[in-house]
Amino acid sequence: MSDELSGKSGKVRVMYVRSEDSDDKNTSGKNKRSSDKRRDGAPREAREKNRPRRDGAMKGGERPARRETYDSAVSPWKTVSRAADESAEQGGISGKSQIDPEQLRRQRAEETRVYGENACQALFNSRPDAIVRAWFLQEVTPRFREALRWMAANRKAYHVVDNDELTRASGTEHHGGVCFLIKKRRGLDVQTYLPHAPEKDCVLALEDVGNPHNLGGIVRSCAHFGVNGVLVRDASQLESGAAVRTAEGGAEHVKAIQSDNLIDALSQFRKAGYTIVTTSSHKGTALYDTQLPARTVIVLGQESDGLSDGAWQQGDMKVSINGTGNVESLNISVATGILLAEWWRHNRA
């Protein structure tokens, strides 16, 4: 049993521990009575018969309910005090078994949640070892039979839950019936990517593009048109739940290349034989009047402002997607699809 008391040092958890001594040694008053009866030579049965009931008599001989508080003069329990901060919040575990908060923060920074049926199926088929935990609605479990079997065999925790709980676990109502907690992939640097690049290779470079739904649409187009790598400032952007779900499995076919300095990264690609193609909505050569080389880096900027001047000037080729002019520009994921389709037409079809 336990209670909490408040003192000068804060809350104190009080643990009640059963005394190993016999009942007749718990209080000085009782010790005296018991010793007196022993000196009188009274048999044990008589002593027990004559001993008054501590908790009082009840009608019909029923045993009274246990009292919630204990008088130290009559209680068979001893009290042991322990400061509240000695007990960990994780299930009451204390001491060395506590999870280090810094370790927990690092672990959470290395993990992300992805959701959506196609995205999770593709992830399981590509890198099941990345899965830490999973949540499913009952109706999708038949389509994840192999994943469930694999997780059970490899001691990966999974939960079949209702819609509300899955919404809480995934952080969205658009979870598609399944959510995986996974270990994030680390982005490659340019020097790591280049030695393994194919002879015909299109890389997409993004400057300050952060909308996860746009990123998901871009990655989906990249997977469709055979783009092997996407150059971004932060590789984790490509593994946000919304981006992976929108990519509909495409995220498993595209490598994230990470660089803090876009200009330096483009320079490294140029030295490796790539043509740098910068894009704009209103200036540059019309896309359909050009032919995109087999080894190309296509550079796109954010939808509202486009590329910065510094990035635009890096282009060995500068192109635009010409149209009616009835709108200012195309959505960046739509523009990406058009550019990549043209590269595919020249080099793959």
Side-chain angles (χ1 to χ4, degrees), residues 3 5 41 58 123-124 128 136 160 187 192 208 285 308 335 341:
D3 285 315
L5 305 177
M58 293 186 66
L123 192 148
F124 170 70
F136 302 90
V160 179
T192 302
D208 298 330
T285 304
S308 64

Side-chain angles (χ1 to χ4, degrees), residues 151-227:
M151 281 186 274
N154 289 274
R155 303 178 67 83
K156 302 282 188 177
Y158 67 87
H159 314 273
V160 179
V161 297
D162 60 23
N163 187 71
D164 289 343
E165 188 168 350
L166 185 52
T167 297
R168 289 193 295 270
S170 63
T172 178
E173 296 178 351
H174 308 292
H175 45 64
V178 57
C179 174
F180 287 168
L181 176 67
I182 66 167
K183 292 287 186 183
K184 293 178 183 176
R185 289 180 294 186
R186 297 183 181 276
L188 306 174
D189 58 37
V190 177
Q191 291 302 321
T192 302
Y193 174 82
L194 285 172
H196 306 285
E199 183 179 351
K200 292 184 176 182
D201 187 32
C202 182
V203 171
L204 196 69
L206 302 176
E207 183 184 42
D208 298 330
V209 178
N211 183 293
H213 297 95
N214 281 338
L215 287 170
I218 289 169
V219 169
R220 186 173 181 177
S221 293
C222 287
H224 183 75
F225 290 114
V227 170

Side-chain angles (χ1 to χ4, degrees), residues 99-261:
I99 298 175
D100 177 32
E102 184 60 33
Q103 178 184 346
L104 188 60
R105 280 191 291 272
R106 287 196 303 270
Q107 178 178 321
R108 288 176 175 170
E110 294 170 356
E111 295 172 347
T112 187
R113 283 171 167 77
V114 299
Y115 42 84
E117 189 168 334
N118 290 338
C120 289
Q121 286 282 18
L123 192 148
F124 170 70
N125 292 330
S126 175
R127 47 188 175 120
D129 289 333
I131 301 172
V132 177
R133 186 180 296 269
W135 295 262
F136 302 90
L137 293 184
Q138 180 65 52
E139 54 263 34
V140 307
T141 54
R143 298 189 290 278
F144 282 88
R145 187 175 292 108
E146 290 185 17
L148 290 166
R149 188 179 297 117
W150 183 88
M151 281 186 274
N154 289 274
R155 303 178 67 83
K156 302 282 188 177
Y158 67 87
H159 314 273
V160 179
V161 297
D162 60 23
N163 187 71
D164 289 343
E165 188 168 350
L166 185 52
T167 297
R168 289 193 295 270
S170 63
T172 178
E173 296 178 351
H174 308 292
H175 45 64
V178 57
C179 174
F180 287 168
L181 176 67
I182 66 167
K183 292 287 186 183
K184 293 178 183 176
R185 289 180 294 186
R186 297 183 181 276
L188 306 174
D189 58 37
V190 177
Q191 291 302 321
T192 302
Y193 174 82
L194 285 172
H196 306 285
E199 183 179 351
K200 292 184 176 182
D201 187 32
C202 182
V203 171
L204 196 69
L206 302 176
E207 183 184 42
D208 298 330
V209 178
N211 183 293
H213 297 95
N214 281 338
L215 287 170
I218 289 169
V219 169
R220 186 173 181 177
S221 293
C222 287
H224 183 75
F225 290 114
V227 170
N228 294 299
V230 177
L231 175 64
V232 289
R233 181 183 295 274
D234 181 4
S236 66
Q237 290 179 296
L238 302 184
E239 286 212 318
S240 71
V244 174
R245 181 181 186 277
T246 306
E248 293 288 353
E252 301 307 312
H253 302 280
V254 178
K255 298 179 177 66
I257 308 169
Q258 183 169 293
S259 176
D260 290 332
N261 191 313

